[in-house]
Amino acid sequence: MGITFGIGEICLLAAMFCGGLGNILSKQEAAHLDILYLTSYQMLLGGLGLLAVGASQVGIMPFQFDWNTTLMLFYLAFISGAGFVLWNNIMKYNKVGNVSMYLFLIPVFGVLLSSVMLQEAIHLVVLIALVCVAGGIIIVNKQKSTTSVKNAVQKAGKPIK
């Protein structure tokens, strides 16, 4: 049994690198640009990039649009835009490293929601992995808060035992 490293893993690593770089760049730009404009530019450029890739693969209009699909498209665009506005606001006022760890909750909620909404079974290995991810986030935050309290007390001049 060997370890395989294919195109999927390479794409995943590239996506994580670009996401991290995007968070850092967003934090820098949010210092002098309104969050709504910043998010609009991000979504416009990202949408144009996805449109170019999609159009090169399957054409400009491969789908038939009716009222339901159009409403769904606008709904999903609004939810996505609102989520990114909230994320960029959080990134503006917090350290990138402190906030980015919460991105690890995306697969946790994805698995839980697919279990609830699509009636997918959660196997024991997946449940253990979800608990490990959530536990890791709790441990990292717990250590930081304990260290912060110790530092605050030391600055006040009281000895720590």
Side-chain angles (χ1 to χ4, degrees):
M1 179 178 199
I3 296 175
T4 60
F5 198 80
I7 188 71
E9 289 80 10
I10 292 169
C11 288
L12 183 63
L13 288 173
M16 293 299 103
F17 175 78
C18 290
L21 182 62
N23 283 336
I24 293 169
L25 294 174
S26 292
K27 170 86 172 164
Q28 291 174 349
E29 289 299 314
H32 55 81
L33 190 62
D34 184 56
I35 295 296
L36 193 56
Y37 288 123
L38 175 69
T39 306
S40 299
Y41 291 138
Q42 288 174 336
M43 294 191 76
L44 178 66
L45 292 174
L48 290 174
L50 289 172
L51 184 63
V53 170
S56 71
Q57 297 295 312
V58 293
I60 287 288
M61 290 293 287
F63 305 111
Q64 296 293 326
F65 283 93
D66 59 8
W67 282 108
N68 285 337
T69 54
T70 304
L71 289 175
M72 253 188 258
L73 179 66
F74 284 122
Y75 168 74
L76 291 172
F78 174 76
I79 292 296
S80 181
F84 278 111
V85 165
L86 289 173
W87 180 256
N88 285 332
N89 267 315
I90 290 169
M91 293 296 289
K92 180 177 183 174
Y93 299 109
N94 296 288
K95 293 181 181 177
V96 174
N98 292 346
V99 176
S100 293
M101 81 174 92
Y102 291 103
L103 291 174
F104 290 110
L105 289 175
I106 292 172
V108 173
F109 284 107
V111 168
L112 293 176
L113 287 173
S114 67
S115 173
V116 170
M117 298 175 98
L118 303 175
Q119 288 83 38
E120 292 183 358
I122 299 179
H123 300 286
L124 182 61
V125 174
V126 173
L127 190 60
I128 291 170
L130 295 178
V131 169
C132 288
V133 169
I137 292 172
I138 291 168
I139 289 169
V140 167
N141 283 325
K142 190 70 159 174
Q143 289 174 346
K144 285 183 181 180
S145 65
T146 304
T147 305
S148 298
V149 170
K150 286 182 182 178
N151 289 340
V153 171
Q154 285 176 346
K155 285 180 183 177
K158 297 178 182 175
I160 300 272
K161 294 182 180 181

